[in-house]
Amino acid sequence: MSIHEVFMPALSSTMTEGKIVSWVKSPGDKVEKGETVVVVESDKADMDVETFYEGFLAHIIVEAGETAPVGSAIAFIAETEAEIEQAKSLANSGGAAATPTSSPEPVAATASAATPALASQNGSNHKEGRLVASPRARKLAKELKVDLTTLQGSGPHGRIVAEDVEALSNKGKQPAAAPVAPPAPVPISAPVAPPAPRTPAPAPVAAAVPGQTVPLTTFQNAVVRNMVATISVPVFRVGYTITTDGLDKLYKQIKSKGVTMTALLAKAVAVTLQKHPLLNASYSDQGIVYHSDINISVAVAMDDGGLITPVLQNADAVDIYSLSRTWKSLVERARAKQLQPQEYNSGTFTLSNLGMFGVDKFDAILPPGQGSILAIGASRPQVVATPDGLFGVRQQMEVNITSDHRIIYGAHAAAFLQDLAKLIETNPQSLTM
């Protein structure tokens, strides 16, 4: 008998269980080796999962929307059609599938969502006419009752994305009757000087139902575990006021070239970290870990709850234009929950900005495995005393750094903030060089 178990894969080092977002294949469908069969939600992203075997998807054990521990069986694949009924019987009896000559092997592997090859595979395109759609598009189509077969995808290789589903759903409908799609995730790193004094609505965490308890999402549970892990870390905080007139002026000059304020802030922090490697380090039981790269994580709130930190890798060495393009790509893939693990867990220093909400200052919680996080408040016009003894109006923002006191002391953090302020206030143009 050649019946194989499909196991719940470990998509990240912190993943203990996964949730089935959708089955790309249905029971009885032919599957090719290396073809996507299921989309799994880990603690940070939705990942396409491929099969190592060729045959037929005989039986689904864990349905869409259900959760299973890493390593547990979620489906059976039969090598021949004749064995499909045997697989169903095996599932009903609770038995394990194995060939007589070998022990069960995992048959699911993560697919690289960042490559064009995967984009063409997502949704079983091995057969002519099969749908190619992102996990978020499939989820949204189900919610809005949109038939994906009627859509022409606008994504890479004709991939159907969430925007295609929203456009069809809203077409020809009155505004009052149109379904409301979830808002895009709010990057917690926006221009320090908002163009208008408007307070945006925060991203919803879950549908609020009075009198009911709404279960936490996989993302939210991951945040809970990380936050609990930081309780045992002794931290301290240092605040600083930075004048942003020069930075704001530079941003207005180059934003038409695709430069984002997030990239400018990340670049400024990364360049300053070159002079302060201890702020880019982290604690371990063996001592201080000095990281060879400066990778800036930027906190982003997800629209369905939870928090993720896409990473701008080697931010000190990458030019501002490439850095901005990379950030745009990271946010788009974070929105679709398509980030690869190294794109959200390789950070060495974190930025968190609530300035777009009008927050003056706040304390950020130190992420596990890092030495510091910088909280950025709103940039506001302030009346200040000028060097010539007069009064003037300057744009200023409050920043507040939280650091691991086991390896970083107050003087270290203060020196870093001084140099960061000096760069932003006196030489912001250097960020474009």
Side-chain angles (χ1 to χ4, degrees):
M1 180 175 65
S2 300
I3 299 174
H4 307 282
E5 291 176 302
V6 179
F7 296 117
M8 175 64 72
L11 304 179
S12 72
S13 59
T14 59
M15 178 176 168
T16 58
E17 63 180 16
K19 180 180 179 181
I20 304 297
V21 176
S22 63
W23 283 95
V24 177
K25 290 288 190 176
S26 299
D29 284 355
K30 183 75 168 63
V31 295
E32 307 285 346
K33 183 178 180 180
E35 187 175 15
T36 298
V37 294
V38 63
V39 179
V40 172
E41 180 187 61
S42 71
D43 54 359
K44 293 293 184 182
D46 287 356
M47 304 286 282
D48 293 344
V49 177
E50 302 171 352
T51 174
F52 289 149
Y53 299 106
E54 182 176 336
F56 297 85
L57 182 60
H59 181 75
I60 292 174
I61 301 173
V62 182
E63 296 290 346
E66 296 179 355
T67 301
V70 168
S72 63
I74 58 176
F76 287 126
I77 287 181
E79 291 189 2
T80 65
E81 285 188 275
E83 293 171 324
I84 292 179
E85 290 303 321
Q86 290 177 288
K88 291 180 180 179
S89 299
L90 191 65
N92 292 332
S93 64
T99 61
T101 58
S102 64
S103 59
E105 296 182 52
V107 298
T110 60
S112 175
T115 62
L118 172 69
S120 64
Q121 288 179 1
N122 181 31
S124 315
N125 71 323
H126 289 267
K127 291 184 180 180
E128 186 67 28
R130 298 306 293 261
L131 284 173
V132 182
S134 72
R136 185 165 179 261
R138 291 178 181 276
K139 182 178 180 180
L140 196 58
K142 184 177 181 180
E143 293 174 354
L144 301 180
K145 295 181 173 54
V146 170
D147 184 359
L148 289 175
T149 61
T150 64
L151 292 178
Q152 182 69 35
S154 62
H157 304 276
R159 181 185 177 104
I160 298 172
V161 295
E163 288 74 12
D164 300 325
V165 178
E166 292 170 350
L168 182 64
S169 177
N170 293 329
K171 187 176 180 181
K173 294 185 178 182
Q174 295 298 322
V180 179
V186 180
I188 309 186
S189 180
V192 293
R198 181 176 62 87
T199 302
V205 173
V209 181
Q212 288 191 7
T213 299
V214 179
L216 296 177
T217 66
T218 306
F219 267 41
Q220 290 169 313
N221 275 316
V223 172
V224 169
R225 289 194 298 271
N226 285 339
M227 295 304 99
V228 170
T230 66
I231 294 176
S232 61
V233 178
V235 298
F236 71 97
R237 300 170 179 85
V238 177
Y240 210 93
T241 301
I242 300 177
T243 299
T244 63
D245 290 293
L247 186 67
D248 295 338
K249 181 179 179 181
L250 173 63
Y251 174 64
K252 290 178 182 178
Q253 292 173 347
I254 61 178
K255 67 178 182 179
S256 61
K257 298 180 181 179
V259 174
T260 66
M261 181 58 76
T262 295
L264 282 171
L265 291 170
K267 180 77 171 180
V269 167
V271 170
T272 307
L273 286 172
Q274 290 177 333
K275 301 178 182 179
H276 301 271
L278 183 60
L279 273 292
N280 192 54
S282 58
Y283 170 85
S284 76
D285 292 337
Q286 291 71 42
I288 301 174
V289 180
Y290 287 93
H291 302 289
S292 57
D293 299 324
I294 298 176
N295 299 334
I296 306 299
S297 303
V298 184
V300 174
M302 300 298 288
D303 59 354
D304 57 352
L307 189 73
I308 195 167
T309 52
V311 178
L312 289 166
Q313 300 186 14
N314 300 300
D316 59 320
V318 178
D319 69 88
I320 192 64
Y321 304 101
S322 298
L323 204 64
S324 294
R325 289 193 295 270
T326 298
W327 177 246
K328 180 180 179 182
S329 173
L330 287 169
V331 171
E332 288 175 350
R333 285 182 288 117
R335 179 183 298 124
K337 294 200 285 188
Q338 292 283 319
L339 292 179
Q340 296 299 294
Q342 69 273 15
E343 293 177 316
Y344 59 75
N345 66 11
S346 60
T348 58
F349 188 104
T350 296
L351 296 183
S352 181
N353 190 340
L354 293 178
M356 80 287 290
F357 294 104
V359 173
D360 291 319
K361 59 182 178 180
F362 66 101
D363 291 336
I365 299 176
L366 183 68
Q370 293 187 21
S372 296
I373 180 172
L374 186 68
I376 302 174
S379 178
R380 300 183 184 281
Q382 303 286 348
V383 177
V384 300
T386 62
D388 54 8
L390 301 177
F391 290 100
V393 177
R394 301 286 186 270
Q395 287 289 136
Q396 293 186 329
M397 69 178 181
E398 301 250 4
V399 299
N400 197 12
I401 193 168
T402 301
S403 297
D404 186 341
H405 213 333
R406 293 173 296 184
I407 60 172
I408 300 169
Y409 306 141
H412 300 137
F416 166 78
L417 293 177
Q418 277 186 324
D419 284 342
L420 177 63
K422 183 178 179 181
L423 172 61
I424 291 176
E425 292 175 353
T426 66
N427 194 23
Q429 291 290 339
S430 64
L431 299 176
T432 63
M433 299 177 184

